[in-house]
Amino acid sequence: MENNQFKQACLEKIIADHQSGSAKIAFVALQSLADYSQRSVMTEPATYLKDLNSFALELQQTRPSMAMLTNIIDAWRQEVNKNENKNPQSNLMTLKQVALVKANGLMMQSSQANDRIVQHVCELIADKSVVLTHSISSTIINCFTKLAKKKISAIITESRPGNEGLLVAEMLSKSGIETQYITDAQLGLFMPKADVVLLGADSILADGSVVNKAGTYLTALAAHDVGIPLYICAENFKQSRKTYETIHLEEMDTTEINLPDLPHIEPRNIYFDVTPARLISGWINEHGVQTITGVPST
Amino acid sequence: MENNQFKQACLEKIIADHQSGSAKIAFVALQSLADYSQRSVMTEPATYLKDLNSFALELQQTRPSMAMLTNIIDAWRQEVNKNENKNPQSNLMTLKQVALVKANGLMMQSSQANDRIVQHVCELIADKSVVLTHSISSTIINCFTKLAKKKISAIITESRPGNEGLLVAEMLSKSGIETQYITDAQLGLFMPKADVVLLGADSILADGSVVNKAGTYLTALAAHDVGIPLYICAENFKQSRKTYETIHLEEMDTTEINLPDLPHIEPRNIYFDVTPARLISGWINEHGVQTITGVPST
């Protein structure tokens, strides 16, 4: 495949992926950068770097609601560009190696962060708890896989319109976790049956509010009303400096809504909502459980 | 059609109707009773009444979450049986006529109640308001039809799994009302764009809490959190003496959830939830807007 075609294919794949969580999408983007860094045909170090940086920016812009995509690629660019600034004489081969090694290093760092989150979650959740989640998150799936040993059961939502809940159901089924599968509209009905809510995040905004799949805000309202603790499980790469006012909430193709053409009726398909920090019991990152006061809860 | 077949067909039609609001279902049931009262082949007044009463009870039991079905048939039975008690010598022809006239009278009474509710709603809603609703209600559809003149616009939900929102969309389209059509999960996202929430009800419980399509509780939580007034539009026939503890919330066929067979994963399809009175700004019945203090608001 020609290199421009390769880049285009990578971008389109990420734009079209409406089911994966943001960590998985960030990994796919970083892997695309790593692959592209090796197949580049640029011969001058400066041109090579400029081309890589430009592809990196294009990848970041594919999914503006996902802080992790921005952050992990920023971190990669910083490392790669820093190397060039320190060693302006770097030859192309060194640069290519740095690009690859740094990408792999960041993916490793993120995986380790996720392992630690899973550990913190497993310490928090009591045996035989009923855990409710909405939408899909690779972090939460990893938690469930480990929590299976604690004989927990689950309540999960279908998560219209992408129906990511089906993927979650398939994975919980394999882990042998007894699961109730509900429509998004039944979230309030089933909340009193849950002991705890665990959710991933696409971004954590400056004030701790959480950008995640549409319906997360409703989940949090119901948990708060019923008095069920709700934790956001997200590595530090998902921290964003954006606020409710500056975050862009992506709207996807409205054909997913399956509405026939009707005069005056406009289908809407905004994928993400923002859950205020006041509805969240704690944020679990690689360093432990953070609460609104900043003191890790035990 | 043989009479037993006719009764069976009436019962099955009501059980299978997952899209109509409770007022429409109550009308269909009462019409079935009226039709049956005329085609009965019973020759003794006492046997005739016993048979009618038994069919009435069967009809009431089809949809336990719908107070109006219980109440309007109770009212009909009371009128018909009262006539018999007063005039034990009634001949069959008189009884048949009473059964028909009382059914038609109750339907007329309910229609007039709904007309008055629509009037009260039209007085309440300002020109160019953005009105949000969830699920389907014939009362709310009638309100929208009248409100079209006030150049209101609408936000409506698809209302999984029955997708009653599609029927609402078709009707609003015909009324020329500019409408945004969203997934149930987007209810929280779109609440800040609404000026008022109007909802129907399947039952109003003893303490004012409302049984309505699953997702109503989430809608009310979001309206309350954002500070948008929410009104329940329901005639007095929907008042129930039941409480949260005694109401039965119907679960429908889980094939509607479209989940493939997966070990350990159980689809759930409870159709109704209960919204506490504290989340409701007012109840609009034929007598006006009632608030929690019982004083009509202006």
Side-chain angles (χ1 to χ4, degrees):
Chain A
M1 199 192 292
E2 200 255 313
N3 269 356
N4 273 335
Q5 276 181 319
F6 174 82
K7 286 201 282 188
Q8 207 49 44
C10 292
L11 294 167
E12 281 167 13
K13 185 180 166 189
I14 290 171
I15 289 169
D17 184 352
H18 294 182
Q19 285 203 314
S20 297
S22 70
K24 187 161 172 206
I25 287 191
F27 270 41
V28 170
L30 202 54
Q31 190 61 54
S32 304
L33 263 177
D35 293 346
Y36 183 69
S37 72
Q38 303 311 296
R39 55 188 292 161
S40 173
V41 290
M42 301 293 170
T43 48
E44 288 300 310
T47 337
Y48 172 77
L49 266 187
K50 197 179 160 193
D51 183 42
L52 269 191
N53 274 305
S54 132
F55 183 38
L57 278 172
E58 281 185 284
L59 284 165
Q60 284 177 317
Q61 283 157 8
T62 51
R63 305 299 295 270
S65 308
M66 295 179 172
M68 178 150 172
L69 181 65
T70 309
N71 291 340
I72 207 165
I73 291 183
D74 270 351
W76 177 86
R77 287 177 59 212
Q78 216 166 16
E79 295 283 344
V80 174
N81 294 326
K82 184 173 73 182
N83 181 77
E84 169 64 1
N85 295 338
K86 271 191 193 157
N87 314 296
Q89 304 312 319
S90 310
N91 63 27
L92 198 64
M93 199 182 293
T94 314
L95 271 179
K96 279 194 170 185
Q97 189 154 11
V98 169
L100 186 64
V101 166
K102 295 299 177 189
N104 289 336
L106 286 164
M107 284 192 266
M108 178 74 78
Q109 181 185 332
S110 167
S111 289
Q112 286 169 347
N114 269 282
D115 288 347
R116 280 196 289 269
I117 290 172
V118 172
Q119 249 179 317
H120 298 310
V121 168
C122 286
E123 284 161 19
L124 188 76
I125 305 296
D127 284 9
K128 297 187 182 168
S129 292
V130 180
V131 180
L132 184 148
T133 195
H134 172 60
S135 185
I136 198 167
S137 145
S138 50
T139 311
I140 301 297
I141 294 289
N142 290 339
C143 290
F144 272 120
T145 309
K146 285 279 184 198
L147 286 168
K149 284 179 205 151
K150 290 195 157 196
K151 305 273 179 223
I152 62 144
S153 55
I155 300 169
I156 64 173
T157 57
E158 62 178 355
S159 305
R160 278 275 295 152
N163 294 357
E164 303 92 274
L166 181 54
L167 298 177
V168 180
E170 284 165 352
M171 289 188 264
L172 297 192
S173 177
K174 277 182 203 153
S175 298
I177 294 173
E178 296 304 325
T179 298
Q180 299 188 78
Y181 180 93
I182 61 174
T183 53
D184 303 329
Q186 289 176 89
L187 266 165
L189 260 168
F190 278 79
M191 192 57 74
K193 302 179 200 290
D195 294 310
V196 62
V197 179
L198 294 180
L199 293 168
D202 288 287
S203 297
I204 296 178
L205 301 183
D207 68 348
S209 58
V210 167
V211 178
N212 198 41
K213 182 74 189 290
T216 298
Y217 171 43
L218 299 174
T219 309
L221 283 170
H224 191 257
D225 197 54
V226 177
I228 307 295
L230 177 146
Y231 294 93
I232 301 295
C233 307
E235 62 194 289
N236 264 347
F237 268 135
K238 293 189 175 175
Q239 283 288 347
S240 169
R241 284 182 303 274
K242 290 186 179 163
T243 65
Y244 183 78
E245 284 71 30
T246 57
I247 186 79
H248 172 74
L249 301 175
E250 299 167 44
E251 182 149 12
M252 303 297 185
D253 192 340
T254 54
T255 56
E256 290 183 351
I257 303 296
N258 306 326
L259 184 74
D261 241 1
L262 289 168
H264 309 290
I265 315 291
E266 180 195 11
R268 298 297 304 271
N269 191 17
I270 301 179
Y271 249 49
F272 303 97
D273 63 22
V274 180
T275 299
R278 66 185 149 82
L279 299 175
I280 296 167
S281 312
W283 294 255
I284 305 181
N285 64 18
E286 51 268 51
H287 306 299
V289 184
Q290 322 290 324
T291 63
I292 200 81
T293 57
V295 183
S297 85
T298 49
Chain B
M1 200 190 298
E2 199 256 313
N3 269 355
N4 273 335
Q5 276 181 320
F6 173 84
K7 287 201 280 187
Q8 207 50 43
C10 292
L11 294 167
E12 280 166 14
K13 187 180 165 190
I14 290 170
I15 289 168
D17 184 352
H18 294 181
Q19 285 203 314
S20 298
S22 71
K24 188 163 171 205
I25 287 191
F27 269 43
V28 170
L30 201 53
Q31 191 59 57
S32 304
L33 263 176
D35 292 347
Y36 183 69
S37 72
Q38 302 312 295
R39 54 188 294 161
S40 174
V41 290
M42 301 294 169
T43 49
E44 288 300 308
T47 338
Y48 172 76
L49 266 187
K50 198 179 161 195
D51 183 44
L52 269 191
N53 275 306
S54 134
F55 182 38
L57 278 173
E58 281 185 284
L59 284 164
Q60 284 178 315
Q61 283 158 8
T62 52
R63 307 298 296 270
S65 309
M66 295 179 171
M68 177 152 171
L69 181 65
T70 309
N71 291 341
I72 208 165
I73 292 183
D74 269 351
W76 177 86
R77 288 177 58 212
Q78 216 166 17
E79 295 284 346
V80 173
N81 294 326
K82 185 172 72 183
N83 181 76
E84 170 63 358
N85 295 339
K86 272 192 195 158
N87 314 295
Q89 305 312 320
S90 309
N91 64 26
L92 200 64
M93 201 183 291
T94 314
L95 271 179
K96 279 194 168 183
Q97 190 156 9
V98 170
L100 186 64
V101 166
K102 294 300 177 189
N104 289 336
L106 287 165
M107 285 191 266
M108 178 73 79
Q109 181 185 334
S110 167
S111 289
Q112 286 169 348
N114 270 281
D115 289 346
R116 282 197 287 271
I117 290 172
V118 171
Q119 248 179 318
H120 298 309
V121 168
C122 286
E123 284 161 20
L124 188 77
I125 304 296
D127 285 7
K128 297 187 182 167
S129 292
V130 180
V131 180
L132 184 148
T133 194
H134 173 61
S135 185
I136 198 165
S137 146
S138 50
T139 312
I140 301 297
I141 294 289
N142 291 339
C143 290
F144 273 120
T145 309
K146 286 279 184 197
L147 286 168
K149 285 181 203 147
K150 290 196 156 195
K151 305 273 179 223
I152 61 142
S153 55
I155 299 170
I156 65 173
T157 57
E158 61 178 358
S159 305
R160 280 274 292 149
N163 295 354
E164 303 93 272
L166 181 55
L167 299 176
V168 180
E170 284 165 352
M171 289 187 264
L172 297 191
S173 177
K174 277 182 203 151
S175 297
I177 294 174
E178 296 302 326
T179 298
Q180 299 187 78
Y181 179 93
I182 60 173
T183 53
D184 304 329
Q186 289 176 90
L187 266 165
L189 260 168
F190 279 80
M191 192 56 75
K193 303 178 201 289
D195 295 310
V196 62
V197 179
L198 294 180
L199 293 168
D202 288 286
S203 297
I204 297 179
L205 300 183
D207 67 349
S209 57
V210 167
V211 177
N212 197 41
K213 183 76 191 287
T216 297
Y217 171 43
L218 299 174
T219 308
L221 283 170
H224 193 256
D225 197 54
V226 177
I228 308 294
L230 176 147
Y231 294 95
I232 301 295
C233 306
E235 63 195 286
N236 264 348
F237 268 134
K238 294 189 172 176
Q239 283 288 347
S240 170
R241 283 182 304 273
K242 291 187 178 164
T243 63
Y244 182 78
E245 285 71 29
T246 56
I247 185 81
H248 172 73
L249 302 174
E250 297 168 45
E251 181 149 15
M252 302 297 186
D253 192 341
T254 54
T255 56
E256 290 183 352
I257 304 294
N258 304 327
L259 184 74
D261 241 2
L262 289 167
H264 309 289
I265 315 292
E266 180 195 10
R268 297 298 305 270
N269 190 19
I270 301 179
Y271 249 49
F272 304 97
D273 63 22
V274 180
T275 300
R278 67 185 148 81
L279 300 176
I280 297 168
S281 314
W283 294 254
I284 305 181
N285 65 17
E286 51 269 49
H287 305 299
V289 184
Q290 320 291 324
T291 63
I292 200 82
T293 59
V295 182
S297 86
T298 47

